[in-house]
Amino acid sequence: MKSQEATIKIISKLDLMYGDVFDQAEVRETIQGVLYDYNIEDKETALAVNDNMGDMILMYLATRKTEGLADSSLKSYARTLGRFSNHMRKNVADITTMDIRIYISNYFKTGVKNTTLATHTDILRAFFSFLEDEDYIDKTPMKKIKSVKIEKRLREALTKEQFETLRTGAKTLRQKALLELLYSTGCRLEEVENMKKRDIDWQRLTIRVVGKGNKERIVYINATAQVHLKRYLMSRLDDDESVFVTQREPIKFLGKRGIQKEIKNISDQSGLGINVYPHLIRHSVATHLLNSGMSLEILQQILGHEDPSTTLIYAELDTMSVENEYRKYS
C-alpha cells in the first residue's frame, strides 16, 4: 500500500473520531512526510496452521497397504481421511474429542446414512488408534466417541425361483459366463475383476482368486459355469489374460463398473423387477448353500471369511430349514 493511500485511511478514521478538533490539511501533510519512504502492508490476520495431518494420513495408508488392505478400501480410507483433514486443519496431536464430535455432527447434518456415518467413524477410530500405537499422539481422541448404531435389517437373498428367472435375462456368451461364474463361486466383485485365465484349473474345476487382504483362496465352478465360461473364452479373438474383457477396442479387463452394468442389463432383460448387483448374487449363493445343508465352516471357506460371524451375516436360513432342523433334533 502506497503512503498516500495509507494517509487517506488514517485521515478518514481521525475525521470520524475528531472531525471538529484538528485541521485535516495540516495533519495530512505531517503524516505524508512521515510515511514518504514507506510502503504499508495490511496486517495478516489469518491464523498460522500447524498441520501434519497429510503426512500422517500418507504414512497410515502406506502401512495399511503393506498389510494387504485392498486398493478399493485404501481409496475409501483416503477419501474419508482427506475429507476430515480438509475440515480439521490441525496438527494431529492438537485434535480433541470435542473437535471430532463437532465434525461427526456436522457430517451427519449433510444427510448421510447411518451406515455411511458408521463407516466414517470406524475409519477415524482406526486412524487415531494407529497414531497412538506408533506414539505420534499420547492418547486417541476417539476413545470416548461411541460407535454409530445401525438398525439391523435382514438381507433378502434371491430365491432359487427368482434366480432361474434372472438366468433368462443372460443373452450373450459373456453375460451367461459372468452370471454362472458369480453364482457358482460366490466371488466378490474385485475377485472377478482381477481373475486371469491362467488361474483356472479345468481339470479340477477350480479357480485361484485373490481376496480381501491380498489373500489367495480356491473357489469352485460347477458344470453349468464350466460350459458357459469355456464357450465365452473360446469365442474371443484377443490375447488379454483377463477372464472378462470389454467388447470394444482397445480390449482390456472388464472393470467393476462394467461388471455391475452387465449384471444390471441381465436383470433388466429378465424382467425380474428387482435391483440385482454382484453382491446380491454372492449373498444368494451363501443362503442357498446353507439352506441345502452345507456346514457353516465349509461355507466360510468358500466365501473367504476369517470370522464365521461374517458368514452368518451373508447367509440366512429360511423358516422351513429352521423348522426341519428343530424337528430333527427335538
Side-chain angles (χ1 to χ4, degrees), residues 176-322:
K176 291 177 181 179
L178 178 60
L179 182 61
E180 295 300 337
L181 180 91
L182 283 169
Y183 187 68
S184 176
T185 63
C187 278
R188 300 179 178 93
L189 178 59
E190 294 85 355
E191 293 168 347
V192 176
E193 176 189 28
N194 297 319
M195 198 176 284
K196 300 293 186 291
K197 289 186 285 187
R198 62 176 177 270
D199 297 328
I200 304 174
D201 185 334
W202 294 107
Q203 297 298 320
R204 299 177 57 202
L205 296 183
T206 61
I207 306 177
R208 182 182 61 84
V209 298
V210 180
K212 279 189 175 181
N214 204 32
K215 295 180 180 179
E216 291 186 3
R217 78 176 195 281
I218 299 296
V219 296
Y220 306 91
I221 54 176
N222 57 29
T224 305
Q226 176 194 17
V227 169
H228 289 292
L229 193 56
K230 274 190 173 182
R231 285 178 180 172
Y232 165 64
L233 293 175
M234 290 177 65
S235 71
R236 282 169 41 187
L237 301 177
D238 62 272
D239 296 325
D240 197 288
E241 268 299 300
S242 300
V243 172
F244 293 100
V245 296
T246 57
Q247 293 175 320
R248 295 180 180 178
E249 299 284 351
I251 300 297
K252 59 180 181 179
F253 74 94
L254 188 65
K256 295 174 188 175
R257 291 186 180 180
I259 295 173
Q260 291 169 329
K261 184 177 179 181
E262 193 73 298
I263 294 300
K264 185 181 185 304
N265 289 339
I266 294 172
S267 179
D268 292 342
Q269 290 162 186
S270 72
L272 187 59
I274 295 176
N275 179 29
V276 181
Y277 45 93
H279 202 80
L280 178 60
I281 297 176
R282 175 174 162 85
H283 176 52
S284 300
V285 172
T287 303
H288 296 170
L289 290 175
L290 198 60
N291 287 339
S292 297
M294 179 175 285
S295 71
L296 184 63
E297 291 79 7
I298 297 299
L299 182 59
Q300 178 186 345
Q301 294 297 318
I302 289 175
L303 295 178
H305 292 151
E306 291 188 0
D307 188 344
S309 64
T310 308
T311 311
L312 284 175
I313 295 174
Y314 282 74
E316 60 209 36
L317 288 167
D318 58 37
T319 55
M320 185 62 70
S321 297
V322 173

Side-chain angles (χ1 to χ4, degrees), residues 48-184:
V49 178
N50 183 20
D51 176 13
N52 64 353
M53 180 80 76
D55 292 338
M56 295 294 103
I57 291 174
L58 287 174
M59 182 169 57
Y60 174 65
L61 294 176
T63 302
R64 294 308 306 270
K65 184 174 180 62
T66 60
E67 293 172 351
L69 189 67
D71 287 343
S72 57
S73 297
L74 283 170
K75 290 177 182 177
S76 175
Y77 279 42
R79 283 194 300 270
T80 297
L81 294 173
R83 186 186 190 282
F84 178 72
S85 175
N86 290 335
H87 171 88
M88 200 59 60
R89 303 300 299 162
K90 294 177 76 173
N91 190 308
V92 291
D94 298 328
I95 295 174
T96 66
T97 299
M98 186 54 66
D99 288 333
I100 295 175
R101 281 183 176 143
I102 293 172
Y103 169 76
I104 291 174
S105 176
N106 289 336
Y107 186 46
F108 181 68
K109 290 176 183 177
T110 63
V112 297
K113 296 179 180 179
N114 274 8
T115 51
T116 302
L117 190 64
T119 301
H120 210 80
T121 305
D122 289 343
I123 290 175
L124 291 178
R125 194 183 311 281
F127 173 62
F128 281 102
S129 293
F130 165 80
L131 295 179
E132 182 182 25
D133 292 341
E134 297 295 323
D135 295 325
Y136 290 106
I137 58 177
D138 293 331
K139 186 172 73 172
T140 170
M142 293 295 298
K143 199 155 269 183
K144 294 182 180 180
I145 303 293
K146 295 182 179 179
S147 298
V148 179
K149 291 185 178 180
I150 302 175
E151 182 181 352
K152 291 185 178 180
R153 296 181 180 178
L154 286 176
R155 298 172 180 264
E156 292 189 7
L158 295 174
T159 65
K160 288 189 175 183
E161 292 76 11
Q162 287 174 324
F163 186 77
E164 288 304 321
T165 300
L166 183 65
R167 271 188 168 129
T168 66
K171 305 300 183 183
T172 68
L173 292 177
R174 188 177 73 174
Q175 287 180 344
K176 291 177 181 179
L178 178 60
L179 182 61
E180 295 300 337
L181 180 91
L182 283 169
Y183 187 68
S184 176

